[in-house]
Amino acid sequence: MNRVEIIQYQDEYCDDLKRLSYEWLEKYVLVEPEDERILNNPKEVILDNGGHIFFAKCGEEIIGTISLIRVDKKTCELAKLAVTEKFQGLKIGNKLMEKCIQVANKEKTKEIVLYTNHKLVSAIRLYEKFGFRHIPLINNKYLESDLKMVLEL
């Protein structure tokens, strides 16, 4: 396998963001209105508000993605973590998580929150490995989410 690099969003990768996100959403949970809003307007919803979108690239192929959505000055939401099926199990999710945490720390973010579903066992294990802890699910913005987690930085 070629070396995997983590790169920042560029407009040319908009279709890759959608492809990767829909791949896991359609497999595990429903595609919700909030997902549609984010995926159809990533620049406006994420980037223009101080957030970030990263991709895992192997050779010329985009194989994974993750987003940091700015909630407020001290908080970001981790969202849209996805690795295409044929590359799962190769620690690409780890690299994407490391990049987000590194950037959040650099920007002096105090906490990263995420919303997930109990069905996503591998993702939950990954989040826990990085120090995320379960917290009460209040102000849920996703219909399919039944868990909320936080990482204090």
Side-chain angles (χ1 to χ4, degrees):
M1 181 173 93
N2 291 338
R3 191 169 123 336
V4 174
E5 61 180 321
I6 305 302
I7 60 171
Q8 294 210 36
Y9 180 89
Q10 296 174 27
D11 288 338
E12 68 188 88
Y13 301 129
C14 187
D15 287 342
D16 292 299
L17 176 64
K18 287 182 181 181
R19 172 183 54 83
L20 290 162
S21 296
Y22 283 118
E23 182 181 310
W24 77 264
L25 284 168
E26 291 171 350
K27 182 174 181 178
Y28 295 104
V29 293
L30 295 174
V31 177
E32 303 182 21
E34 182 66 8
D35 297 316
E36 295 282 357
R37 186 177 82 84
I38 293 168
L39 296 173
N40 288 316
N41 305 290
K43 186 175 180 328
E44 294 83 2
V45 175
I46 300 173
L47 302 174
D48 290 350
N49 291 314
H52 302 274
I53 303 169
F54 300 105
F55 293 97
K57 186 175 182 183
C58 183
E60 294 303 309
E61 187 177 0
I62 299 296
I63 60 171
T65 188
I66 196 167
S67 298
L68 267 180
I69 301 171
R70 178 63 57 192
V71 175
D72 57 38
K73 205 167 185 141
K74 69 175 187 103
T75 307
C76 281
E77 175 191 346
L78 186 80
K80 305 296 169 251
L81 171 61
V83 176
T84 195
E85 197 161 357
K86 77 177 188 178
F87 286 92
Q88 290 177 2
L90 300 175
K91 307 287 186 203
I92 294 161
N94 284 318
K95 291 181 182 206
L96 290 163
M97 291 286 293
E98 288 166 358
K99 181 65 173 181
C100 281
I101 293 169
Q102 174 189 45
V103 168
N105 274 318
K106 184 177 179 186
E107 293 180 351
K108 302 201 181 336
T109 300
K110 299 295 182 206
E111 66 179 16
I112 302 173
V113 297
L114 64 85
Y115 299 85
T116 191
N117 186 288
H118 73 278
K119 295 184 228 176
L120 303 173
V121 176
S122 295
I124 293 166
R125 275 197 302 261
L126 177 66
Y127 303 143
E128 290 171 342
K129 173 182 159 185
F130 277 89
F132 281 83
R133 61 181 175 76
H134 297 262
I135 59 173
L137 183 59
I138 300 170
N139 299 325
N140 189 4
K141 66 188 266 188
Y142 300 100
L143 301 170
E144 286 284 310
S145 297
D146 59 7
L147 297 172
K148 184 175 181 182
M149 301 176 80
V150 66
L151 174 66
E152 294 172 6
L153 301 172

